[in-house]
Amino acid sequence: MFFSSDHPKHEFEESQQCKSRDAICYLCKNKVSLVEDESNAFYCCQGCGSNFHKDCLTVTYPKCHEHTLTFIRRKIPFPCDVCGQEFPDEMYGCLQCDFFVNRHCIYLPRVIKITRHSHRLSHVLRISDGDNVCGICRSLVDVGYGGYSCIDKTCNYVAHFHCIIRFNVWDGKDVEGEEVAASEADDVAPLLLVEDIDGESTWRHFSHDHDLLRVVEEQESEELCQACILPTYKTGKFLRCKECDFALHETCACLPRKMAHGLHVHPVTLHVETGDGFFICSVCNQYSCGLMSYKCNQKDCGFKMDVRCASFVEPFNHTALPHDPFYLGVDFNEYIYRCYGCRQRSRFTARCVQGSIDFDFKCLNLPGLIKYKCDDHPLTLYYDHRGHNSGWCEICEEIIEKGRIIYTCRHCFTTLHVDCILGKYPYLKCGHKIKVNGFEVEIASNNGASRPICQTCHRICQDKHVFNGKDQVCFCSVECIPSQACS
């Protein structure tokens, strides 16, 4: 017979008195065995009829506490000494030490590594005084309770227990006693200096076979960076091939071959795309013709990230809200967040803590300045967090909804929808051939005097890009391109 430590009415009899064939353990929610032997014994509460595994009623786990912990069932909630949260039906206690802990905190790992931070984190029962802002949810961590703290004594990074467990930021491994993995160590540089003669440097990037020269060009051109598919002009220094039209932003060329990025729980590696000529970024859900992408190192994980999303570093200053830094949001592994800029749902967002504004990575990666043929000034990315009316779009001539992220001219008060000026596929480049389900098409600009008709949906192609197949067939979108079997 076993007695609960808080109330005499919770008296537990052994399994011989529990005849239910569908008995479920109240704590672990697993079925209890009806085989009557000591290794499978379970208990039944006479007061409420709940069933319990024998090993669930008492827990011995020295990593959490040196004494045996006993299940305590009280109607009045009280905080867990480890995390500070209240779990009235899942608390264990050591009356000898006046120590109480909820079931989830008993088996917390001692040392972990999350991709949101460069160092490992250690399980501590008391957070020390200092900068006590959780690195995941950006709210305060109570110094009277425990959490995860950086093992580097010069670093003040801390995180809540429940943030580590609840949100998709940890790979589930306890790395206590393990050596630092290769993915956590410094990696080979992607850009190497070949020679430097009279101040003119020649470089070699792992993604290209020819030598590259560092160039500074401020005049407008149509040259695109092969990694991010954005213009090379007005972006500082970039690298241009001596023998062909290959070009890379210097920032794109210096991205590490391997990294642990907060957007994914596993380390990722920079790969050269060799498939169908384009890919879909798992973060921003955008099509890209970029030469390189970051792929997860895990064999069965299909995560793939373009270099624009991989360039996100906390705190991030967005052009539309330059005075309010953004931090990575939390991930519930579901599309539950709605972007304030485009009103679309997304798993991956960044949050402006001051204004509680969430932007998805499609809006975060938008260029800050663009050129519009009907305006002499560059248009600036703008977001009105007060939700005032933003006017009407001069391209589609429709009203722009309140609180949308837009492009505007501060001199002429021109306003444009983002999709109207950039198009549906801003990172697909004209003249590039791609394969969709085995069907090859060429991406072309849709700026002619007349607009073609889509072969599949029979509508006028209105986007900035069209997809030309064999025999002069044309498609308005990637979704309209048939498979090879249907062509």
Side-chain angles (χ1 to χ4, degrees), residues 21 37 63 71 154 194 206 221 238 331 342 346 416 433:
R21 292 286 178 181
D37 59 66
K63 283 189 176 183
F71 172 60
T154 63
V194 178
F206 80 97
S221 69
F238 68 96
D331 178 16
C342 62
S346 176
L416 300 174
K433 292 184 179 181

Side-chain angles (χ1 to χ4, degrees), residues 130-146:
D131 187 6
N132 299 315
V133 176
C134 176
I136 298 173
C137 69
R138 311 305 305 177
S139 61
L140 291 177
V141 177
D142 193 336
V143 295
Y145 298 97

Side-chain angles (χ1 to χ4, degrees), residues 25-45:
C25 177
Y26 178 84
L27 292 170
C28 68
K29 309 304 179 185
N30 294 322
K31 286 186 177 182
V32 294
S33 173
L34 295 180
V35 179
E36 296 180 0
D37 59 66
E38 185 176 353
S39 62
N40 292 282
F42 67 95
Y43 291 83
C44 181
C45 175

Side-chain angles (χ1 to χ4, degrees), residues 72-131:
I72 295 177
R73 197 173 189 181
R74 289 182 178 176
K75 293 183 178 180
I76 301 176
F78 54 97
C80 167
D81 285 334
V82 175
C83 68
Q85 293 189 322
E86 296 179 352
F87 297 85
D89 293 333
E90 299 182 4
M91 297 296 290
Y92 288 75
C94 174
L95 300 183
Q96 178 182 346
C97 301
D98 191 27
F99 176 77
F100 300 95
V101 58
N102 76 72
R103 181 179 179 85
H104 304 287
C105 290
I106 294 177
Y107 300 103
L108 287 172
R110 298 294 296 271
V111 181
I112 64 171
K113 178 67 176 73
I114 62 174
T115 55
R116 295 189 177 214
H117 189 61
S118 56
H119 306 136
R120 294 184 175 191
L121 304 180
S122 176
H123 175 192
V124 293
L125 295 179
R126 293 291 182 271
I127 293 291
S128 59
D129 293 333
D131 187 6

